[in-house]
Structure formats: C-alpha cells, structure tokens
Amino acid sequence: MVATLSVNLNAVAMLRNRRDLPWPSVTGLGRVALDAGASGLTVHPRPDQRHIRFSDLGDLRALIDDEFPQAEFNIEGYPSEEFLALVEQHEPEQVTLVPDDPAQNTSDHGWDFAKHKSMLSEVTKRLKSHGMRVSMFADPTPDGLEIAKETGADRVEFFTGPYGGAYADPKAQAHELALLERAALKAVELGLGINAGHDLTVANLPALVKVMPTLSEVSIGHGLTADALEYGMRQSVQRFIKALG
C-alpha cells in the first residue's frame, strides 16, 4: 500500500495573510496540488485565523466537490465547540483532533489519551454520526493507543516532528524511526489506521515509509511549501509522491 499525500495549506495561507491581498491564492494552489496528484488537502483553522481563515473552508470544500470529487478534505483542530461547528458545516472526509493550546505556533505533542478519554469519545461519536473519519494526533509511542482505540478513533496521526528535527544527526534519526516503527506496530495490532505528519521532507520520507509499511496518509505543509519555492507547487507535489514510493 502506498501512502497518500494530503497537502497542508496553512503555510500558503500565512504568506497570503501578510498583505490584504488575495494572493497567493489558497484555493488556487490547492487546485494545483490536487491536479498534480495530491489525494487531499489539509487545513488547521486556528481561533485567531492567523493562517487559514474560516472563510477559506467553503471555497476549499467547493473546490474538491466541484473539480476533484475523488479527493479528501482533512480539517485539523482542537475540538472546541467553535471548531466542531466548523467541521459540521463543511463536512470534511476526515477530522484530525489535536490537543493544541490556541497560542501554540504549531502542533507539537499528541493527546494524553487517558486524561481526555471521555471528551474524545464524545467528540468522536458526534463526528462519526456525520460520516466523518476521525484521526487523533499521537506521540510516537505505543502508550495510550489502546485508549485511543476505545474512544472510537479510526486512525492516529503520529507526530513526526522529532524525526524531522533530527535531519542533521543520523543516530538520532535512527532512534526516532525505531520509536515510530514500534508505535506503528501497536497501532496495526489494534486495528487503527496510521497517518503521519510534521517536518516531513522528500529526503526523510522514504525511510519513514520503510518502517511504516501500513502508513495510509501523510499531511505535509511546511516542507512541501518550502520545496515549492524552489520547484513550484506542481513539481513539489510530484516529488513528494515519488518519495512516498
């Protein structure tokens, strides 16, 4: 099974928001990414709308529905009532629940599943009643995955930030890969689907795929957007798809 690529558009939106202008177009570059072969688009609409704006969600939903009906829309966020109302309005195929504080720069840790089991179970039931697949952000460890399964989650998205951050240290990279491999084996044992995201690049994806052969999806924003500054969005998407195998 080859993992699919969901292009995270947050960095594109952040660049747009530096000026009161409509470019770079979040929807336009989403169209380029999907036309180049990406299987979906990911956004993380934070409460302060510092990158993706709430008004982007309807445009991206329409883009997928009207032009790329085989693609998936993945909306990430902390399950506040405001967030849940947004996803119920825009009906993504997948919702990825993250334990972020609104002030965080980016997601940097997974759920404490034991502590938040009751809340996550209620939210998952609510989202699945609308036909949405639920993925939960998880640290690269087997700990707590049984509880994640008990909440009703369909998938976990393993946080690959420590792996990506070890780009200059082969020994540390190997250590992080071993942790991810062990966590993935436990997820498979439990019947959880596996996603991955954070600081993934063309250079480090092949090794990740090798230790996670059942990986379903990667969500990539920062690294792919940086790559696109050099190669363009279309070619960068194709480079990342090739790196996935």
Side-chain angles (χ1 to χ4, degrees):
M1 180 178 68
V2 177
T4 61
L5 170 66
S6 184
V7 174
N8 188 313
L9 295 169
N10 287 3
V12 174
M14 184 174 286
L15 179 58
R16 175 201 60 190
N17 292 355
R18 293 185 69 247
R19 297 287 188 271
D20 187 21
L21 296 166
W23 59 80
S25 168
V26 172
T27 306
L29 284 171
R31 178 181 290 108
V32 173
L34 292 173
D35 190 58
S39 296
L41 300 175
T42 291
V43 295
H44 186 154
R46 294 180 180 273
D48 61 7
Q49 302 187 70
R50 64 179 179 265
H51 34 65
I52 289 295
R53 297 169 179 160
F54 300 160
S55 58
D56 292 322
L57 301 181
D59 293 338
L60 292 169
R61 177 75 272 175
L63 170 68
I64 291 173
D65 290 345
D66 296 344
E67 301 182 38
F68 301 94
Q70 78 287 356
E72 289 196 348
F73 196 18
N74 173 46
I75 302 182
E76 301 178 341
Y78 180 84
S80 65
E81 187 58 41
E82 182 180 38
F83 175 79
L84 294 173
L86 281 175
V87 298
E88 287 172 344
Q89 178 183 355
H90 298 290
E91 300 182 318
E93 282 71 30
Q94 178 173 266
V95 180
T96 301
L97 302 178
V98 296
D100 283 9
D101 182 284
Q104 281 184 226
N105 183 47
T106 186
S107 304
D108 62 8
H109 64 283
W111 285 101
D112 181 335
F113 290 111
K115 181 178 180 179
H116 298 287
K117 179 181 179 182
S118 178
M119 180 271 287
L120 291 172
S121 297
E122 292 175 11
V123 169
T124 298
K125 182 178 179 180
R126 176 172 169 178
L127 294 173
K128 292 179 77 168
S129 73
H130 292 276
M132 303 172 197
R133 183 170 67 242
V134 177
S135 179
M136 295 185 184
F137 209 52
D139 291 318
T141 171
D143 298 339
L145 293 184
E146 295 95 340
I147 302 174
K149 178 68 175 180
E150 290 169 3
T151 67
D154 301 292
R155 295 183 184 181
V156 288
E157 179 179 328
F158 285 119
F159 174 50
T160 54
Y163 170 57
Y167 63 92
D169 186 339
K171 185 176 180 180
Q173 262 198 339
H175 173 71
E176 296 299 335
L177 278 175
L179 295 178
L180 286 160
E181 181 177 26
R182 188 164 66 102
L185 288 171
K186 183 63 175 181
V188 171
E189 177 187 319
L190 293 167
L192 286 164
I194 301 172
N195 295 345
H198 266 71
D199 300 331
L200 297 175
T201 65
V202 168
N204 66 27
L205 268 175
L208 180 70
V209 171
K210 186 174 181 179
V211 302
M212 285 186 167
T214 58
L215 182 65
S216 294
E217 175 187 286
V218 292
S219 173
I220 306 178
H222 184 82
L224 194 148
T225 305
D227 201 77
L229 292 174
E230 183 172 357
Y231 297 100
M233 179 62 80
R234 179 177 299 277
Q235 188 174 343
S236 290
V237 167
Q238 293 168 348
R239 281 163 49 82
F240 274 79
I241 291 172
K242 183 178 180 181
L244 286 168

